[in-house]
Amino acid sequence: MENNYQKFEQNIANEITIEAKDQMPDAYRKTLIRQIGQHGHSEIVGMLPEGNWITRAPTLKRKAVLLAKVQDEAGHGLYLYSAAETLGADRDDMMEKLIDGKMKYSSIFNYPTLTWADVAAIGWLVDGAAIVNQVALCRTSYGPYARAMVRICKEESFHQRQGFEAMMALANGTPEQKQMAQDAVNRYWWPALMMFGPSDEHSPNSAQSMAWKIKRFSNDELRQKFVDNTVPQVLQLGLEVPDPDLKLNEETGHYEFGEIDWHEFNEVIAGRGPCNHERIEARRKAWENGKWVRDAAVVYAKKQQLEANKVA
Ligand code: BYC
């Protein structure tokens, strides 16, 4: 067994991906199931705030784009649940843990989508933040997770561009539309920064995940990258960043920004955000209403297996 973990350590050191059948320490398996499961849940719960606007999209074109985007998120969730299953996780168990509040999902999806501009802001800022995090995960040490990320990132970059384009239409529209765009930025800016997780000194999982190359950059490094990428885009839209402390440090070339409201972040991830209850109830209802479909699929699969055995 020791030899097998030596091989694992060697592979990590030599940038050789760990595959499902490889020996791996239990803690590596456990933290991956935690992170990939949480990531999958984020995709699925993330369908809710945007899905809420499918029937109210302002034009047929916007509706078609939004429908496609929300369906993409469902697909991402399915790749991720499959990646977690390669580690021995059980999908029903993960789903029940989500509904029972025993597994987390991204804090960002506990905020409401009050206007159409919020949908644009999610596409632009939330998918934009997700890309920064996920591009790094394309090189994560667990092969099935890394490969899922490559595909997901391609779709996320389309999402980010469509969000920016929708935001641009509002920012260049009537004064009321521009104000709606600004309000959305005001409400989504700080929650988008929180997506990257606690600051490095308060991130209990980071050190080990970095050592195992599950994470390639720390939470603060990725957050900084997102701010540096996104502030010029806000300015290009003619909008303002809701942070009086934001300034470009000419020497480092990085934007310095104000303190995140960590109390708010901790409340949201503890289940006490604006929409936590609503989101979990929506998932619970979908899970319960879908039971007959899952049961029918199992009966059908068993029947097919019996037929196949008869032929053999
Ligand atoms: N929200 O030690 P830390 C999308 C938890 S969806 C909630 O730094 P780690 C999209 C963390 O889990 C994109 N919880 O943890 C979909 C841990 O708790 P546990 C979602 C958070 O894992 C639809 C504790 O806080 N992306 O793109 O090293 C529409 C301590 O944190 C959050 C991913 O999931 C948070 N924001 O680092 C549109 C990316 N932050 O588990 C778009 C994959 C932290 O110990 N995940 N926590 O109870 C990751 O990269 C990492 O898991 C994180 C956290 C950077 C999020």
Side-chain angles (χ1 to χ4, degrees), residues 190 193 199 243 245 257-262:
W190 290 104
L193 298 198
S199 60
D243 178 357
D245 297 322
F257 53 95
E259 181 69 9
I260 289 173
D261 184 344
W262 293 116

Side-chain angles (χ1 to χ4, degrees), residues 15 17-18 28 31-32 34-40 42-43 80 83 129-154 156 195-196 206 209-210 212-219 222 225:
E15 303 286 332
T17 53
I18 307 301
Y28 177 82
T31 203
L32 272 172
R34 177 187 65 78
Q35 177 168 328
I36 301 173
Q38 170 185 295
H39 196 161
S42 304
E43 302 283 355
L80 286 159
I131 292 171
V132 169
N133 170 283
Q134 290 171 173
V135 164
L137 287 173
C138 292
R139 292 195 302 116
T140 192
S141 55
Y142 186 57
Y145 191 23
R147 290 190 288 274
M149 282 298 116
V150 173
R151 189 157 175 179
I152 289 176
C153 279
K154 287 187 182 151
E156 299 289 33
M195 285 175 72
F196 296 93
S206 274
S209 289
M210 298 276 282
W212 278 329
K213 298 182 181 169
I214 293 172
K215 286 167 88 162
R216 295 287 182 160
F217 297 96
S218 76
N219 298 356
L222 292 176
K225 203 171 169 38

Side-chain angles (χ1 to χ4, degrees), residues 34-35 38-40 42-47 50 69 73 104-109 122 126-127 130 133-134 137 145 156 159 194-198 202-206 209 215 219 265 269:
R34 177 187 65 78
Q35 177 168 328
Q38 170 185 295
H39 196 161
S42 304
E43 302 283 355
I44 299 298
V45 177
M47 294 165 72
E50 288 182 285
K69 179 186 190 297
E73 307 301 355
K104 295 187 171 79
Y105 58 92
S106 183
S107 50
I108 191 75
F109 301 116
I122 290 183
V126 175
D127 285 75
N133 170 283
Q134 290 171 173
L137 287 173
Y145 191 23
E156 299 289 33
H159 297 168
M194 292 175 196
M195 285 175 72
F196 296 93
H202 294 112
S203 165
N205 300 299
S206 274
S209 289
K215 286 167 88 162
N219 298 356
F265 172 75
I269 69 169

Side-chain angles (χ1 to χ4, degrees), residues 21-36:
K21 286 185 180 157
D22 293 345
Q23 291 286 340
M24 59 187 90
D26 281 349
Y28 177 82
R29 185 186 298 278
K30 211 169 140 205
T31 203
L32 272 172
I33 291 176
R34 177 187 65 78
Q35 177 168 328
I36 301 173

